[in-house]
Amino acid sequence: MKPYLISDSTQAKDRLIGGKATNLFRMKELGFTVPRFVALPADALFDAAAIQASLNAVFGPDPQRHFSVRSSGLTEDGAEHSFAGQFETFLFVPMEEVPDKVAAVRASAGSDRVRAYREELGLTPEQRIGVIIQEMVAADRSGVAFGSHPSSGDPRVKVVSAVLGLGEGLVSGELDADTWFVRPDGIEARIVKKERQVVRDADGSGTMMAEVSPSLQEVPVLANAQLAVITDALKKLNHALGAPQDIEFAFVGSAFYLLQTRPITAMSKGEYTVWDNSNIVESYPGVTTHLTFSFIQKMYEAVYTQFCDLLGVNSATIARNKHVFANTLGLVRGRVYYSLLHWYKMLAMVPGYRINARFMETMMGVKERFELSDEQRMTKATAWWRIVKMVFRMIRLQRRLPKERARFQRHLDATMERYSAIDFTALSSEAIIWHYREFERTLLKEWKAPLVNDFFAMIAFGMLQKLCTRWVPGMPNLHNDLLCGSRDIISTEPIHTCMAIARTISDDEEAKLLFNTETSEAIWKTLTSGAHPVVKQAIDAYLLRFGERCVGELKLETMSYAQDPARLIAVLRGYVEKGITRSVERAETDETVRLRAEDAMHLALHGKPLKRWMLRIVLTRTRELVSARENLRFERTRGFGMVRRMFTALGERWAGDGIIEDPRDIFHLQLEQILEINEIERLGPFIAERKKQHAWWGSLPPPSERFATYGDDFSDDAVIYSKEKLTPIDGDLKGIGCCAGIVEARIRKVIDPSTLSTLDGDILVTTSTDPGWVTLFPTCSAILVERGSLLSHSAIVSREMGIPCIVSVPGLMRTLHTGDRVRIDGSTGIIQVIDTHGRASA
């Protein structure tokens, strides 16, 4: 009689246990210690009593024992398809709950996301899966390791990354890890400060995030003896299994456990890279259409080719690396990501790679460095020679920058004025495409001034942060506080203008009644009929100036305020209803924060005139460059808005001509398809498939903000780590403080700011923001953002407005819920949960 649960490889013969379970048995056969486990074959009928009886027989009836319950699909963890993250996974499951979790894992094989995934891969609808029930081990240190160098594939180099506690924080990208590069000639260790770890919670039923003892934070996670155990295991696995392996491991005291292995089969598909959207999600939130992605991909290639040319990279190097410039972005399940491999390769062409890389990481919000292999960097002699040449070039560029910004602004204004006078809806499709090509040539590829400003802003901000940390210790947020209240950032103008319009409406009783009683569409219809001309004139002026400044403003498919003024009316209705007609008086104004920071700077540098003079120069320059950076982003918004107008008109023209069914179908085509289309009759079925794919992407949970692949294959089977969901974080949350201030209030989680008009003083909690969110800012008491960096839009605008703000908070959205009461410190970045009794129901 066949055993119900498989606990030995001899029992597994001819049983459908799946790829993951098969790998576990292979590790046991090779003599490795694997946490005890059993496998339920895919062809076994579900029987809760049989599962319970088998568990008691194998493990004994111990109520303190907990298990992980996870899938082992028949095609999972194989060379073709991994199904990573598609099936349910449960951790720390008590023995009596195991049958229910097994049923849930099996049921997940029939979920909509799995069916859509199989359909995308061209697989049959049925998917039977085995289930692994494995004893949990309370690891005190965990990690992952590669049997060859992930970047170069060099089998002589083993790479090991480890964290304290359980490994979930590492594979999810939430925790920085110590990393070792084990080479034949020695070990290179990169040790990070480890402030948090994932541990088993008090009742043993889950995990929690806990503080690491200060005495252990900068001590290497692994000793050399433990490294030797891991690298020996990699060598043994590489030899026995015939390919370099990617393993997960854990230590409980001195005991070494292997948790998983799989071949790095994807290495043949391309170079190892890390994908990160911690900052770019601010510009392209949510699912993005193919037209937007293909457009921005082309723009990034053009502008960064110009950028390297400006910095003196020779034309031969630029031509040789054309593929690098063309692949700085990736579209991952509809979300836009940076390819860190290509960003670092691009920086490696520029002298001063290590310095520039650190500054870029600060600007982009990258939490962990991606290291290039040595052969991808220039030699020291070449670097020094280019540094000398670049220094003179940078001095010249910096001196000319104010004039270049002014010239760029004149050129932009003239181009926008000329194109704004064109009625694209009256043109033929050929004429619209011709105008787009001309617009691209005359403006979008002449973006030198914003690029140079971005570069110097990145360097200046990094220098300011470094000098403040070194010369004024004990004030980690000083560099942010010094930048408060610049008064020259255009991003706050829409807020003040909306307040002024709301004030005009509130001063007119009839207009106020209209805004308080009618729908946004009805209000706009009334205004366009001639009623309340003063209000209408103010709104028209706003639309002319800020009509493209909206949520998702850089996505071409976004419907802007200029295209649908009723959306702006909805914002104004909220301001009128809540009486938001003037800036909220805050306990600490932005000017107060800045003046206190300047006093602290002067006090710390008293008697040190040279340092004081140097810091003042860097501060002045940083203020100018950061403000200009934010203002030039608005000019990019205007340019993208014009492109949106053109393609919207082209969609209407093609729909009228019967080429596409709906005008908005055009956004599901790629740019080159639109510009060079010659098989019009095939568009219908093609667009239908694209729309179906877009809808499927929207139904999926967002990918992790950081993950790795080989090459540019973004399907789940190419992802290096499957990201198991972490439980909400217990204890304090911590991010990057951007604007000082202590606030205690209820939080409000917001996904789409267009769904509400006011926060009524609650703390705004969201994944990311873009400039379209600013009309909500006056209604909140503080801002918490899961993604982003110190130069993110929310960070810059909050400093300008004096609103306490924290960005880059891991686990924020899954831990906090609307109604929770928290206390936040915008200086330290600490978020304390005070009370969850007011939590809204899920």
Side-chain angles (χ1 to χ4, degrees), residues 23-49:
N23 286 344
L24 290 175
F25 282 124
R26 293 172 76 184
M27 288 191 293
K28 285 183 64 177
E29 290 174 345
L30 291 170
F32 292 107
T33 303
V34 178
R36 289 194 298 169
F37 71 97
V38 291
L40 176 64
D43 55 349
L45 296 175
F46 177 76
D47 185 332

PDB file of all heavy atoms in Angstrom, residues 23-49:
ATOM      1  N   ASN A  23      13.630  18.230  -5.062  1.00  0.00           N
ATOM      2  CA  ASN A  23      14.914  18.849  -4.706  1.00  0.00           C
ATOM      3  C   ASN A  23      15.251  18.635  -3.231  1.00  0.00           C
ATOM      4  O   ASN A  23      16.420  18.438  -2.867  1.00  0.00           O
ATOM      5  CB  ASN A  23      14.877  20.345  -5.014  1.00  0.00           C
ATOM      6  CG  ASN A  23      14.966  20.641  -6.493  1.00  0.00           C
ATOM      7  OD1 ASN A  23      15.339  19.777  -7.282  1.00  0.00           O
ATOM      8  ND2 ASN A  23      14.604  21.854  -6.886  1.00  0.00           N
ATOM      9  N   LEU A  24      14.236  18.684  -2.358  1.00  0.00           N
ATOM     10  CA  LEU A  24      14.492  18.449  -0.938  1.00  0.00           C
ATOM     11  C   LEU A  24      15.001  17.034  -0.699  1.00  0.00           C
ATOM     12  O   LEU A  24      15.944  16.815   0.080  1.00  0.00           O
ATOM     13  CB  LEU A  24      13.210  18.702  -0.131  1.00  0.00           C
ATOM     14  CG  LEU A  24      12.744  20.164  -0.015  1.00  0.00           C
ATOM     15  CD1 LEU A  24      11.405  20.230   0.714  1.00  0.00           C
ATOM     16  CD2 LEU A  24      13.769  21.030   0.702  1.00  0.00           C
ATOM     17  N   PHE A  25      14.393  16.046  -1.364  1.00  0.00           N
ATOM     18  CA  PHE A  25      14.853  14.668  -1.211  1.00  0.00           C
ATOM     19  C   PHE A  25      16.278  14.496  -1.748  1.00  0.00           C
ATOM     20  O   PHE A  25      17.089  13.756  -1.176  1.00  0.00           O
ATOM     21  CB  PHE A  25      13.909  13.706  -1.920  1.00  0.00           C
ATOM     22  CG  PHE A  25      12.646  13.415  -1.153  1.00  0.00           C
ATOM     23  CD1 PHE A  25      11.394  13.637  -1.714  1.00  0.00           C
ATOM     24  CD2 PHE A  25      12.707  12.916   0.144  1.00  0.00           C
ATOM     25  CE1 PHE A  25      10.241  13.363  -1.017  1.00  0.00           C
ATOM     26  CE2 PHE A  25      11.546  12.642   0.860  1.00  0.00           C
ATOM     27  CZ  PHE A  25      10.305  12.872   0.272  1.00  0.00           C
ATOM     28  N   ARG A  26      16.591  15.196  -2.836  1.00  0.00           N
ATOM     29  CA  ARG A  26      17.942  15.086  -3.396  1.00  0.00           C
ATOM     30  C   ARG A  26      18.971  15.628  -2.419  1.00  0.00           C
ATOM     31  O   ARG A  26      20.069  15.083  -2.278  1.00  0.00           O
ATOM     32  CB  ARG A  26      18.015  15.828  -4.736  1.00  0.00           C
ATOM     33  CG  ARG A  26      17.177  15.171  -5.832  1.00  0.00           C
ATOM     34  CD  ARG A  26      17.121  16.012  -7.070  1.00  0.00           C
ATOM     35  NE  ARG A  26      18.359  15.934  -7.842  1.00  0.00           N
ATOM     36  CZ  ARG A  26      18.587  16.654  -8.944  1.00  0.00           C
ATOM     37  NH1 ARG A  26      17.667  17.503  -9.372  1.00  0.00           N
ATOM     38  NH2 ARG A  26      19.725  16.534  -9.593  1.00  0.00           N
ATOM     39  N   MET A  27      18.643  16.716  -1.730  1.00  0.00           N
ATOM     40  CA  MET A  27      19.577  17.264  -0.742  1.00  0.00           C
ATOM     41  C   MET A  27      19.782  16.291   0.407  1.00  0.00           C
ATOM     42  O   MET A  27      20.897  16.136   0.912  1.00  0.00           O
ATOM     43  CB  MET A  27      19.065  18.613  -0.232  1.00  0.00           C
ATOM     44  CG  MET A  27      19.171  19.736  -1.257  1.00  0.00           C
ATOM     45  SD  MET A  27      18.880  21.385  -0.567  1.00  0.00           S
ATOM     46  CE  MET A  27      17.153  21.304  -0.132  1.00  0.00           C
ATOM     47  N   LYS A  28      18.720  15.625   0.841  1.00  0.00           N
ATOM     48  CA  LYS A  28      18.855  14.633   1.917  1.00  0.00           C
ATOM     49  C   LYS A  28      19.753  13.482   1.475  1.00  0.00           C
ATOM     50  O   LYS A  28      20.604  13.017   2.240  1.00  0.00           O
ATOM     51  CB  LYS A  28      17.473  14.107   2.309  1.00  0.00           C
ATOM     52  CG  LYS A  28      16.641  15.062   3.138  1.00  0.00           C
ATOM     53  CD  LYS A  28      15.317  14.450   3.545  1.00  0.00           C
ATOM     54  CE  LYS A  28      15.511  13.250   4.455  1.00  0.00           C
ATOM     55  NZ  LYS A  28      14.219  12.691   4.916  1.00  0.00           N
ATOM     56  N   GLU A  29      19.570  13.028   0.223  1.00  0.00           N
ATOM     57  CA  GLU A  29      20.379  11.920  -0.289  1.00  0.00           C
ATOM     58  C   GLU A  29      21.865  12.279  -0.336  1.00  0.00           C
ATOM     59  O   GLU A  29      22.735  11.401  -0.204  1.00  0.00           O
ATOM     60  CB  GLU A  29      19.896  11.522  -1.687  1.00  0.00           C
ATOM     61  CG  GLU A  29      18.541  10.846  -1.698  1.00  0.00           C
ATOM     62  CD  GLU A  29      18.040  10.606  -3.104  1.00  0.00           C
ATOM     63  OE1 GLU A  29      18.605  11.209  -4.048  1.00  0.00           O
ATOM     64  OE2 GLU A  29      17.097   9.835  -3.270  1.00  0.00           O
ATOM     65  N   LEU A  30      22.158  13.570  -0.533  1.00  0.00           N
ATOM     66  CA  LEU A  30      23.549  14.018  -0.594  1.00  0.00           C
ATOM     67  C   LEU A  30      24.140  14.217   0.791  1.00  0.00           C
ATOM     68  O   LEU A  30      25.302  14.613   0.921  1.00  0.00           O
ATOM     69  CB  LEU A  30      23.649  15.317  -1.398  1.00  0.00           C
ATOM     70  CG  LEU A  30      23.382  15.183  -2.903  1.00  0.00           C
ATOM     71  CD1 LEU A  30      23.258  16.565  -3.550  1.00  0.00           C
ATOM     72  CD2 LEU A  30      24.498  14.377  -3.565  1.00  0.00           C
ATOM     73  N   GLY A  31      23.356  13.957   1.821  1.00  0.00           N
ATOM     74  CA  GLY A  31      23.878  14.014   3.185  1.00  0.00           C
ATOM     75  C   GLY A  31      23.682  15.333   3.899  1.00  0.00           C
ATOM     76  O   GLY A  31      24.208  15.520   5.001  1.00  0.00           O
ATOM     77  N   PHE A  32      22.930  16.261   3.309  1.00  0.00           N
ATOM     78  CA  PHE A  32      22.705  17.549   3.960  1.00  0.00           C
ATOM     79  C   PHE A  32      21.581  17.437   4.983  1.00  0.00           C
ATOM     80  O   PHE A  32      20.661  16.625   4.839  1.00  0.00           O
ATOM     81  CB  PHE A  32      22.354  18.622   2.924  1.00  0.00           C
ATOM     82  CG  PHE A  32      23.495  18.963   2.010  1.00  0.00           C
ATOM     83  CD1 PHE A  32      23.489  18.544   0.682  1.00  0.00           C
ATOM     84  CD2 PHE A  32      24.575  19.690   2.471  1.00  0.00           C
ATOM     85  CE1 PHE A  32      24.532  18.854  -0.165  1.00  0.00           C
ATOM     86  CE2 PHE A  32      25.627  20.013   1.627  1.00  0.00           C
ATOM     87  CZ  PHE A  32      25.611  19.582   0.308  1.00  0.00           C
ATOM     88  N   THR A  33      21.665  18.274   5.992  1.00  0.00           N
ATOM     89  CA  THR A  33      20.594  18.350   6.984  1.00  0.00           C
ATOM     90  C   THR A  33      19.488  19.247   6.457  1.00  0.00           C
ATOM     91  O   THR A  33      19.705  20.436   6.203  1.00  0.00           O
ATOM     92  CB  THR A  33      21.121  18.909   8.321  1.00  0.00           C
ATOM     93  OG1 THR A  33      22.193  18.084   8.783  1.00  0.00           O
ATOM     94  CG2 THR A  33      20.011  18.933   9.358  1.00  0.00           C
ATOM     95  N   VAL A  34      18.319  18.657   6.270  1.00  0.00           N
ATOM     96  CA  VAL A  34      17.144  19.375   5.774  1.00  0.00           C
ATOM     97  C   VAL A  34      16.069  19.280   6.854  1.00  0.00           C
ATOM     98  O   VAL A  34      15.865  18.191   7.421  1.00  0.00           O
ATOM     99  CB  VAL A  34      16.630  18.755   4.459  1.00  0.00           C
ATOM    100  CG1 VAL A  34      15.372  19.462   3.973  1.00  0.00           C
ATOM    101  CG2 VAL A  34      17.717  18.801   3.395  1.00  0.00           C
ATOM    102  N   PRO A  35      15.402  20.373   7.209  1.00  0.00           N
ATOM    103  CA  PRO A  35      14.322  20.272   8.202  1.00  0.00           C
ATOM    104  C   PRO A  35      13.331  19.179   7.791  1.00  0.00           C
ATOM    105  O   PRO A  35      12.992  19.052   6.612  1.00  0.00           O
ATOM    106  CB  PRO A  35      13.676  21.661   8.160  1.00  0.00           C
ATOM    107  CG  PRO A  35      14.770  22.568   7.725  1.00  0.00           C
ATOM    108  CD  PRO A  35      15.574  21.771   6.753  1.00  0.00           C
ATOM    109  N   ARG A  36      12.886  18.395   8.769  1.00  0.00           N
ATOM    110  CA  ARG A  36      12.029  17.253   8.453  1.00  0.00           C
ATOM    111  C   ARG A  36      10.787  17.698   7.688  1.00  0.00           C
ATOM    112  O   ARG A  36      10.177  18.726   8.007  1.00  0.00           O
ATOM    113  CB  ARG A  36      11.623  16.541   9.737  1.00  0.00           C
ATOM    114  CG  ARG A  36      12.775  15.786  10.400  1.00  0.00           C
ATOM    115  CD  ARG A  36      12.248  14.837  11.444  1.00  0.00           C
ATOM    116  NE  ARG A  36      11.547  15.536  12.514  1.00  0.00           N
ATOM    117  CZ  ARG A  36      10.807  14.920  13.456  1.00  0.00           C
ATOM    118  NH1 ARG A  36      10.665  13.608  13.423  1.00  0.00           N
ATOM    119  NH2 ARG A  36      10.236  15.629  14.411  1.00  0.00           N
ATOM    120  N   PHE A  37      10.398  16.894   6.714  1.00  0.00           N
ATOM    121  CA  PHE A  37       9.254  17.254   5.885  1.00  0.00           C
ATOM    122  C   PHE A  37       8.586  16.001   5.346  1.00  0.00           C
ATOM    123  O   PHE A  37       9.173  14.903   5.330  1.00  0.00           O
ATOM    124  CB  PHE A  37       9.696  18.144   4.707  1.00  0.00           C
ATOM    125  CG  PHE A  37      10.493  17.423   3.663  1.00  0.00           C
ATOM    126  CD1 PHE A  37       9.875  16.931   2.513  1.00  0.00           C
ATOM    127  CD2 PHE A  37      11.864  17.225   3.811  1.00  0.00           C
ATOM    128  CE1 PHE A  37      10.617  16.268   1.544  1.00  0.00           C
ATOM    129  CE2 PHE A  37      12.606  16.565   2.847  1.00  0.00           C
ATOM    130  CZ  PHE A  37      11.987  16.081   1.710  1.00  0.00           C
ATOM    131  N   VAL A  38       7.366  16.164   4.898  1.00  0.00           N
ATOM    132  CA  VAL A  38       6.632  15.137   4.161  1.00  0.00           C
ATOM    133  C   VAL A  38       5.987  15.819   2.963  1.00  0.00           C
ATOM    134  O   VAL A  38       5.784  17.044   2.950  1.00  0.00           O
ATOM    135  CB  VAL A  38       5.557  14.455   5.021  1.00  0.00           C
ATOM    136  CG1 VAL A  38       6.182  13.611   6.107  1.00  0.00           C
ATOM    137  CG2 VAL A  38       4.599  15.479   5.615  1.00  0.00           C
ATOM    138  N   ALA A  39       5.667  15.016   1.961  1.00  0.00           N
ATOM    139  CA  ALA A  39       5.063  15.562   0.747  1.00  0.00           C
ATOM    140  C   ALA A  39       3.759  14.841   0.446  1.00  0.00           C
ATOM    141  O   ALA A  39       3.688  13.599   0.504  1.00  0.00           O
ATOM    142  CB  ALA A  39       6.023  15.424  -0.431  1.00  0.00           C
ATOM    143  N   LEU A  40       2.724  15.614   0.144  1.00  0.00           N
ATOM    144  CA  LEU A  40       1.452  15.053  -0.309  1.00  0.00           C
ATOM    145  C   LEU A  40       1.445  15.082  -1.827  1.00  0.00           C
ATOM    146  O   LEU A  40       1.470  16.156  -2.435  1.00  0.00           O
ATOM    147  CB  LEU A  40       0.290  15.885   0.234  1.00  0.00           C
ATOM    148  CG  LEU A  40      -1.110  15.462  -0.236  1.00  0.00           C
ATOM    149  CD1 LEU A  40      -1.446  14.064   0.267  1.00  0.00           C
ATOM    150  CD2 LEU A  40      -2.157  16.478   0.219  1.00  0.00           C
ATOM    151  N   PRO A  41       1.429  13.915  -2.483  1.00  0.00           N
ATOM    152  CA  PRO A  41       1.477  13.894  -3.946  1.00  0.00           C
ATOM    153  C   PRO A  41       0.270  14.578  -4.577  1.00  0.00           C
ATOM    154  O   PRO A  41      -0.817  14.643  -3.977  1.00  0.00           O
ATOM    155  CB  PRO A  41       1.500  12.394  -4.281  1.00  0.00           C
ATOM    156  CG  PRO A  41       1.991  11.733  -3.033  1.00  0.00           C
ATOM    157  CD  PRO A  41       1.458  12.563  -1.906  1.00  0.00           C
ATOM    158  N   ALA A  42       0.470  15.057  -5.786  1.00  0.00           N
ATOM    159  CA  ALA A  42      -0.599  15.751  -6.486  1.00  0.00           C
ATOM    160  C   ALA A  42      -1.762  14.828  -6.815  1.00  0.00           C
ATOM    161  O   ALA A  42      -2.903  15.284  -6.948  1.00  0.00           O
ATOM    162  CB  ALA A  42      -0.048  16.388  -7.770  1.00  0.00           C
ATOM    163  N   ASP A  43      -1.492  13.513  -6.948  1.00  0.00           N
ATOM    164  CA  ASP A  43      -2.552  12.592  -7.324  1.00  0.00           C
ATOM    165  C   ASP A  43      -3.254  11.960  -6.130  1.00  0.00           C
ATOM    166  O   ASP A  43      -4.108  11.095  -6.285  1.00  0.00           O
ATOM    167  CB  ASP A  43      -1.995  11.481  -8.230  1.00  0.00           C
ATOM    168  CG  ASP A  43      -0.813  10.755  -7.589  1.00  0.00           C
ATOM    169  OD1 ASP A  43      -0.305  11.238  -6.568  1.00  0.00           O
ATOM    170  OD2 ASP A  43      -0.395   9.712  -8.134  1.00  0.00           O
ATOM    171  N   ALA A  44      -2.897  12.378  -4.901  1.00  0.00           N
ATOM    172  CA  ALA A  44      -3.543  11.838  -3.701  1.00  0.00           C
ATOM    173  C   ALA A  44      -4.832  12.608  -3.423  1.00  0.00           C
ATOM    174  O   ALA A  44      -4.875  13.839  -3.511  1.00  0.00           O
ATOM    175  CB  ALA A  44      -2.606  11.939  -2.501  1.00  0.00           C
ATOM    176  N   LEU A  45      -5.890  11.884  -3.070  1.00  0.00           N
ATOM    177  CA  LEU A  45      -7.147  12.531  -2.702  1.00  0.00           C
ATOM    178  C   LEU A  45      -6.981  13.228  -1.360  1.00  0.00           C
ATOM    179  O   LEU A  45      -6.262  12.742  -0.469  1.00  0.00           O
ATOM    180  CB  LEU A  45      -8.276  11.497  -2.630  1.00  0.00           C
ATOM    181  CG  LEU A  45      -8.633  10.795  -3.939  1.00  0.00           C
ATOM    182  CD1 LEU A  45      -9.687   9.716  -3.696  1.00  0.00           C
ATOM    183  CD2 LEU A  45      -9.135  11.799  -4.966  1.00  0.00           C
ATOM    184  N   PHE A  46      -7.648  14.357  -1.207  1.00  0.00           N
ATOM    185  CA  PHE A  46      -7.545  15.089   0.051  1.00  0.00           C
ATOM    186  C   PHE A  46      -8.311  14.362   1.145  1.00  0.00           C
ATOM    187  O   PHE A  46      -9.492  14.026   0.989  1.00  0.00           O
ATOM    188  CB  PHE A  46      -8.095  16.509  -0.107  1.00  0.00           C
ATOM    189  CG  PHE A  46      -8.075  17.294   1.182  1.00  0.00           C
ATOM    190  CD1 PHE A  46      -6.892  17.813   1.661  1.00  0.00           C
ATOM    191  CD2 PHE A  46      -9.237  17.470   1.923  1.00  0.00           C
ATOM    192  CE1 PHE A  46      -6.863  18.531   2.857  1.00  0.00           C
ATOM    193  CE2 PHE A  46      -9.213  18.175   3.116  1.00  0.00           C
ATOM    194  CZ  PHE A  46      -8.017  18.705   3.574  1.00  0.00           C
ATOM    195  N   ASP A  47      -7.632  14.114   2.263  1.00  0.00           N
ATOM    196  CA  ASP A  47      -8.242  13.423   3.401  1.00  0.00           C
ATOM    197  C   ASP A  47      -7.649  14.032   4.665  1.00  0.00           C
ATOM    198  O   ASP A  47      -6.516  13.729   5.049  1.00  0.00           O
ATOM    199  CB  ASP A  47      -7.957  11.919   3.327  1.00  0.00           C
ATOM    200  CG  ASP A  47      -8.678  11.130   4.418  1.00  0.00           C
ATOM    201  OD1 ASP A  47      -8.936  11.712   5.486  1.00  0.00           O
ATOM    202  OD2 ASP A  47      -8.959   9.940   4.188  1.00  0.00           O
ATOM    203  N   ALA A  48      -8.413  14.897   5.340  1.00  0.00           N
ATOM    204  CA  ALA A  48      -7.896  15.616   6.503  1.00  0.00           C
ATOM    205  C   ALA A  48      -7.473  14.665   7.613  1.00  0.00           C
ATOM    206  O   ALA A  48      -6.426  14.851   8.250  1.00  0.00           O
ATOM    207  CB  ALA A  48      -8.952  16.594   7.019  1.00  0.00           C
ATOM    208  N   ALA A  49      -8.264  13.621   7.827  1.00  0.00           N
ATOM    209  CA  ALA A  49      -7.935  12.674   8.895  1.00  0.00           C
ATOM    210  C   ALA A  49      -6.641  11.932   8.584  1.00  0.00           C
ATOM    211  O   ALA A  49      -5.811  11.699   9.474  1.00  0.00           O
ATOM    212  CB  ALA A  49      -9.085  11.691   9.094  1.00  0.00           C
TER     213      ALA A  49
END
